[in-house]
Amino acid sequence: MKGSPARYVERRIRSFKKKEEVALIPYITAFDPDKESTFEFLKYIADTNPACIELGFPFSDPVADGPTIQKAVVRALKNKPTFEEYLSLVFRFKEAYPEIPILCMTYYNIIYRFGHEKAVSEAKASGLDGFIIPDLPVEEAGPWLRANKGKGLATIFLSAPTSSLERIKKIAQVSKGFLYYVSLTGITGARDKLPEDLVERLKHIKAVIKIPLAVGFGISRREHVEALLPYADALVVGSALVSIVEKEGKKAGPQLKKFLLALKNAHP
């Protein structure tokens, strides 16, 4: 990989757009249902050539997540995972698939307790490409940003439908890798329908930011992908995949792959 992880994430997402290929960012919770299955699931996901992979590190109070991911977190926490084990899992995956960026989705308490500088240095050593920290607003991110200064890890901030365009522009200026736009107010979870004004909002956002735009929360159907493809650079798919893990358990890998390939075959 040449350049910083954040720049690589950005370039990779843009490359999908140039090839007119669907850029998916799949999410699963690490260590659900057990510690060994996650690596197998990641291999099946890698077979679908995702733009990035969002791998959640479980936290006991996942305030941004809906019931599906909350249940996954409960299952994962029963295995008593450590952040060191998480980074070892990332290292193992990146040895096999160095071209696929992995982003850690976790809550700020995990980073704070682990230590900012330690988190950055050990994340880089593992091959982790960056962090999505949903409960860390830009205004309170100073210690984290200082620890990562010059290190190049992607730091992806979230913006919401309640955010003004001016605030979204500010968030995008600090984000590295892409901007994660939350498509609806509330918590994560698969939805039948996306907000009616989402496309118009995405058009306005694209006009004021320079980094790629990824959209998440609620995306679970081929028609969602088809509707959003012209207006977003990448699409995050989470709860629908976590539901497959909940249903299939250790045998979820083939179904995860099948589901993602069906979404990737969508056309605008």
Side-chain angles (χ1 to χ4, degrees), residues 74-92:
V74 170
R75 294 192 298 270
L77 287 174
K78 288 179 180 177
N79 299 312
K80 295 181 169 54
T82 67
F83 198 59
E84 286 87 353
E85 287 175 310
Y86 176 94
L87 293 176
S88 293
L89 174 64
V90 171
F91 181 80
R92 187 177 168 197

Side-chain angles (χ1 to χ4, degrees), residues 128-170:
L128 188 73
D129 295 276
F131 287 84
I132 300 170
I133 310 171
D135 61 340
L136 181 63
V138 169
E139 291 80 5
E140 297 174 19
W144 169 253
L145 294 174
R146 285 192 291 273
N148 187 41
K149 188 174 182 180
K151 306 298 192 301
L153 291 175
T155 299
I156 290 100
F157 289 94
L158 278 67
S159 62
T162 52
S163 304
S164 67
L165 271 182
E166 195 58 39
R167 176 161 177 77
I168 289 173
K169 186 177 179 181
K170 179 181 177 181

Side-chain angles (χ1 to χ4, degrees), residues 28-48 50 53-56 79 85-98 100 102 126 245 249-254 256-257:
I28 59 170
T29 303
F31 312 118
D32 170 32
D34 56 41
K35 290 185 176 180
E36 192 53 40
S37 294
T38 304
F39 184 70
E40 293 303 311
F41 296 164
L42 289 173
K43 290 195 294 184
Y44 278 102
I45 291 171
D47 285 345
T48 70
I53 295 175
E54 188 182 337
L55 183 62
N79 299 312
E85 287 175 310
Y86 176 94
L87 293 176
S88 293
L89 174 64
V90 171
F91 181 80
R92 187 177 168 197
F93 176 81
K94 291 289 285 192
E95 277 197 314
Y97 302 93
I100 301 177
I102 285 212
S126 75
V245 175
K250 298 178 183 181
K251 299 178 181 178
L256 295 174
K257 180 177 177 179

